[in-house]
Amino acid sequence: MVPTVPIRCPTCGREHVYAPPSYPCACGAPVAPAVCRDATPEPVTDRTWAEAWITARCAACGHEGHWPQPELDCSCGAVLRVPVAGTTRVPPGHPSHIPLPRTAPRPRPAFHPVTIRDARDAVTVAALYLRWLGYLNTRSATRRPPSGSRIAARGMLAQVDPAPRRTVLRDIECLWLTALTEAGDTPVACAFFSLAGYTSEARTRADSLGVPLFTMDTTGTPQPVNGAAYELVATGA
């Protein structure tokens, strides 16, 4: 069990009982950052890559993994960055994205688009596109995202956002973290498909994490919008 510590909000003075989230290491053991009991949390006013991620060592196998900086949402509206011990900041540009499998047939035939009329069509197009890239046996993912749908295949977890709003940074991070936690002996890459596009913050974070981003329109042909997406298309060729 992860130990809890009292955290007092410096904005309103409210005290919280906080337990940092744990994430599975590649060896299977849970890893939870050690929260500093005597440190004061800092309100998050501006997010940067260096402040959003830390490295923590697994006590079971010694592997150093990359994890999100623990944060606490206070009821007063403040978001608090919780200080942790025994960790270091992740340098800009890391962690790098998981290498993508070369599973598509060569040469690959042209992709046949399917007209998108609703959210279900969008999911269908994304699934067909993944198969076209070589990720076979696509299926609905077990864990559903807060919005949209997820598609799973061997070595791939993709999210489809059919909403009329642009995809935001948190959506990218949640997908990447889910793919990270589901990775076992076989690396799990991830990709995002959006009908409305992405915010600049989401694209920046996707570039840092190496998450391929695609946009889709009613013609039903996904289009790569960042370097990782172009690499994914080229790798499957």
Side-chain angles (χ1 to χ4, degrees), residues 108-132:
R108 193 182 330 144
F111 177 74
H112 296 290
V114 176
T115 302
I116 296 177
R117 297 177 297 269
D118 54 25
R120 180 176 296 181
D121 289 338
V123 174
T124 298
V125 167
L128 291 173
Y129 195 78
L130 290 176
R131 294 173 196 169
W132 179 71

Side-chain angles (χ1 to χ4, degrees), residues 110-164:
F111 177 74
H112 296 290
V114 176
T115 302
I116 296 177
R117 297 177 297 269
D118 54 25
R120 180 176 296 181
D121 289 338
V123 174
T124 298
V125 167
L128 291 173
Y129 195 78
L130 290 176
R131 294 173 196 169
W132 179 71
L133 290 172
Y135 293 94
L136 307 179
N137 301 319
T138 55
R139 64 191 184 280
S140 296
T142 303
R143 299 168 62 180
R144 294 181 59 85
S147 62
S149 302
R150 283 187 182 146
I151 304 169
R154 181 174 176 81
M156 169 60 71
L157 181 67
Q159 183 161 333
V160 184
D161 186 358

Side-chain angles (χ1 to χ4, degrees), residues 37-63:
R37 290 178 174 272
D38 56 350
T40 302
E42 302 176 356
V44 178
T45 56
D46 186 27
R47 296 181 183 275
T48 64
W49 170 263
E51 294 175 336
W53 300 90
I54 58 173
T55 61
R57 185 181 299 275
C58 174
C61 69
H63 173 72

Side-chain angles (χ1 to χ4, degrees), residues 184-213:
D185 295 335
T186 302
V188 176
C190 58
F192 212 109
F193 296 81
S194 175
L195 263 70
Y198 306 85
T199 65
S200 58
E201 293 83 2
R203 292 190 61 166
T204 298
R205 182 55 52 87
D207 289 342
S208 299
L209 295 174
V211 177
L213 302 181

Side-chain angles (χ1 to χ4, degrees), residues 10 24 31 36 39 54 58 68 73 107 111 145 166 174 180 196 204 213 224 231:
V31 178
C36 298
I54 58 173
C58 174
D73 293 332
F111 177 74
R166 290 191 296 169
C174 287
L180 185 67
T204 298
L213 302 181
E231 178 184 344

